[in-house]
Amino acid sequence: MSYVDEVYARVVAQNPNEPEYHQAVKEVLDSLKLVIDANEEKYRAVSLLERFVEPERIISFRVPWVDDKGNVQINKGYRVQFNSAIGVYKGGLRFHPTVNQSILKFLGFEQVLKNSLTGLPIGGGKGGSNFDPKGKSDREVMAFCQSFMTELYRHIGPNVDCPAGDIGVGGREIGYMFGQYKRITKHYEGVLTGKGLTFGGSLVRTEATGYGLIYILNEMLTHNNHSLEGKTVIVSGSGNVAIYAVEKLQQYGAKVVAMCDSNGYIYDKDGIKLDVVKNIKEVRRARISEYVKEVPTAVYTEGKGIWSIPCDIALPCATQNELDLEDAKMLKANGCIAVAEGANMPTTREATDYFLENGVLFMPGKAANAGGVATSALEQSQNSMRMSWTFEEVDAKLKDIMVNIFAKAADAAERYGVPGNYVAGANIAGFEKVANAMMAQGIV
Ligand code: NDP
Ligand code: 2IT
């Protein structure tokens, strides 16, 4: 058995019932095969791959809090500190009822390679809770965040581990957690990113993942003789990533015709009115179905099905495994030329392979959505310097980082004889830096 297959078999045997984690590891190891085979003896001698797939540490704790009716609620809390070879653990916190160890390990594993690709000195981690912020009052969300941080604070710090937002964790939650961290530790420091602008947040962090996605998409299209101008686009989700992807797409002259949430999707043939979506999602925290009340010419459909709408470009920006083989075939049949992942692992393995084998340009999440964490790292830098850069300065750095990520993925794909395969390219380029740092630091 090859070294890669051996390590994958070991991951499956030692981590039962963790399908998302298996999926992420398999995709990465498969595309690293060429690199690993070329260095097999060197890596085997120090069990590099076995260490690469094993989180350095997983912290798991209970989160008790009291709801508005006076009932005691208990949730699970986690932090996966995956790999610190190239920097302080960095990665988001997800609050969603589906959160479990498998999902956080897959996200932490992806984060290690993503953070490496940014070129910035950040290690990889991920955390969160099965708490569902949906339908909770502000006070309940605050009570939960304070309790969560009362345990988490002892495991994090600006030179230890620096969490940020993800699904269900935005500016409101980061604010409550920052307040509690400061209260407990008496340290005013950049321990979380995505903070409000009045207390250490960075301009562009809110927009960064969505904007970065479009910067790298634009780069991929340009290199393949296409452009965004006049293209019809579907963006799934209607959260932080989706909203700012749509904003930047519209600035580039593309037309977004569909968005969704977990209940259903909207189709607006005239182009999505983003101010309406922002008001529904960012202000009222309501459902996307409300859109058709304000734009009666649009259509709302309950349930899945967003990928059945014809488009030139598809950007999955909601959650893992939201686009499967059937969807991929439908997109291709309808003329889709490019897919870029705003979310983490939104495309199933079968669908990814289908795109790659059928000439659809495909940019994987660890490259495509790295603009968020990259701008988080820029926030950390500003906090350390006790300075803040202007919107234009941060945006220019973000654009540069995304252009560089494209170049790294494209170059690694070329070097290993799979030109245009940005999945392999991103995995290889991300891995090379981490592996090099791990080799240099000995058996730790
Ligand atoms: P938000 O919580 O802001 O938005 C998530 C969106 O996805 C919502 O519209 C939500 O709908 C939808 N969604 C979530 N779960 C499901 C589901 N099971 N089925 C269908 N729709 C669903 O999260 P973000 O926008 O921050 O994150 C979206 C994705 O981007 C995630 O995969 C995240 O890991 C990734 N990401 C985020 C970054 C960031 O900076 N925020 C950085 C890099 C990646 P509903 O409201 O109904 O739940
Ligand atoms: O998946 C991700 O990259 C994020 N949720 C952002 C992490 C961060 O530290 O900004």
Side-chain angles (χ1 to χ4, degrees):
M1 218 193 276
S2 74
Y3 187 24
V4 157
D5 292 335
E6 253 174 58
V7 172
Y8 179 65
R10 181 186 156 108
V11 164
V12 173
Q14 294 189 351
N15 302 271
N17 307 315
E18 298 193 349
E20 296 85 2
Y21 180 48
H22 301 170
Q23 183 184 344
V25 169
K26 176 125 185 73
E27 183 227 283
V28 169
L29 289 184
D30 280 352
S31 60
L32 290 180
K33 225 169 179 153
L34 288 168
V35 187
I36 307 291
D37 286 351
N39 295 282
E40 177 159 347
E41 211 175 314
K42 184 170 87 173
Y43 289 159
R44 264 193 197 273
V46 293
S47 293
L48 185 96
L49 277 193
E50 289 86 339
R51 289 187 285 134
F52 176 65
V53 298
E54 187 68 35
E56 287 176 19
R57 191 174 300 105
I58 300 181
I59 297 139
S60 158
F61 49 95
R62 78 169 174 235
V63 189
W65 56 283
V66 179
D67 69 18
D68 284 348
K69 296 193 183 104
N71 297 322
V72 176
Q73 301 285 344
I74 310 292
N75 286 100
K76 287 176 176 292
Y78 307 90
R79 186 72 181 164
V80 179
Q81 298 181 330
F82 215 109
N83 191 306
S84 62
I86 63 172
V88 167
Y89 306 108
K90 181 90 198 83
L93 296 170
R94 177 177 292 190
F95 292 171
H96 194 270
T98 56
V99 162
N100 58 35
Q101 214 162 276
S102 171
I103 289 180
L104 295 180
K105 279 163 74 178
F106 118 63
L107 289 164
F109 183 68
E110 289 282 298
Q111 197 81 44
V112 173
L113 295 164
K114 181 194 307 189
N115 293 4
S116 168
L117 278 173
T118 65
L120 301 166
I122 37 181
K126 200 84 188 188
S129 172
N130 61 354
F131 173 74
D132 186 359
K134 236 176 258 158
K136 303 287 190 299
S137 69
D138 279 350
R139 194 212 62 82
E140 288 177 319
V141 171
M142 181 175 74
F144 174 81
C145 288
Q146 290 181 339
S147 180
F148 184 83
M149 185 51 81
T150 300
E151 176 61 32
L152 187 67
Y153 87 93
R154 68 189 82 240
H155 306 291
I156 61 174
N159 296 310
V160 181
D161 181 354
C162 179
D166 193 78
I167 291 178
V169 178
R172 174 181 63 171
E173 292 74 18
I174 294 289
Y176 291 148
M177 286 190 275
F178 181 75
Q180 185 72 350
Y181 177 89
K182 177 167 66 70
R183 182 188 188 197
I184 297 171
T185 63
K186 72 187 193 312
H187 289 155
Y188 202 110
E189 55 194 10
V191 64
L192 293 162
T193 57
K195 299 184 291 297
L197 295 176
T198 51
F199 55 97
S202 173
L203 286 161
V204 193
R205 178 61 189 90
T206 303
E207 297 85 354
T209 311
Y211 278 19
L213 171 68
I214 307 311
Y215 292 148
I216 199 167
L217 169 67
N218 186 50
E219 201 61 16
M220 174 170 77
L221 292 176
T222 309
H223 276 77
N224 290 279
N225 304 315
H226 292 290
S227 85
L228 272 170
E229 177 77 39
K231 292 289 188 300
T232 299
V233 187
I234 297 176
V235 177
S236 68
S238 46
N240 174 264
V241 179
I243 285 176
Y244 292 95
V246 173
E247 186 164 286
K248 190 51 79 178
L249 281 166
Q250 293 180 341
Q251 289 172 16
Y252 273 98
K255 182 164 140 188
V256 181
V257 294
M259 295 181 79
C260 69
D261 61 19
S262 54
N263 292 102
Y265 63 95
I266 49 167
Y267 172 61
D268 187 339
K269 63 177 180 358
D270 303 319
I272 296 282
K273 278 90 190 149
L274 193 58
D275 53 334
V276 175
V277 175
K278 279 188 179 176
N279 184 271
I280 294 169
K281 288 295 172 183
E282 295 185 333
V283 182
R284 285 153 47 200
R285 297 181 188 275
R287 307 313 300 159
I288 200 72
S289 54
E290 300 271 305
Y291 184 88
V292 294
K293 289 189 189 152
E294 289 172 60
V295 186
T297 49
V299 181
Y300 173 73
T301 308
E302 191 80 13
K304 291 184 185 299
I306 192 169
W307 308 119
S308 65
I309 299 167
C311 67
D312 302 308
I313 297 169
L315 305 179
C317 296
T319 194
Q320 63 275 357
N321 294 325
E322 55 164 309
L323 195 167
D324 63 17
L325 179 59
E326 206 179 304
D327 299 322
K329 287 182 176 167
M330 216 149 37
L331 283 165
K332 172 71 187 171
N334 286 335
C336 176
I337 58 160
V339 175
E341 297 185 318
N344 286 304
M345 206 170 73
T347 315
T348 63
R349 177 63 187 271
E350 296 73 26
T352 303
D353 289 346
Y354 182 83
F355 287 136
L356 292 175
E357 285 157 15
N358 287 277
V360 178
L361 298 170
F362 185 86
M363 189 54 70
K366 62 176 71 67
N369 68 40
V373 74
T375 308
S376 277
L378 300 177
E379 181 172 328
Q380 290 179 288
S381 300
Q382 294 168 80
N383 292 161
S384 297
M385 292 189 296
R386 296 171 191 250
M387 276 176 51
S388 26
W389 295 320
T390 63
F391 191 96
E392 290 71 25
E393 283 173 299
V394 182
D395 193 35
K397 289 183 203 297
L398 168 63
K399 203 177 213 168
D400 244 31
I401 290 167
M402 299 314 295
V403 168
N404 275 327
I405 294 175
F406 176 79
K408 280 183 206 170
D411 168 68
E414 288 268 353
R415 272 193 287 128
Y416 281 89
V418 282
N421 183 338
Y422 307 119
V423 174
N427 285 331
I428 293 168
F431 175 75
E432 284 177 331
K433 181 177 178 186
V434 177
N436 187 298
M438 286 178 73
M439 294 294 292
Q441 291 173 30
I443 314 285
V444 291

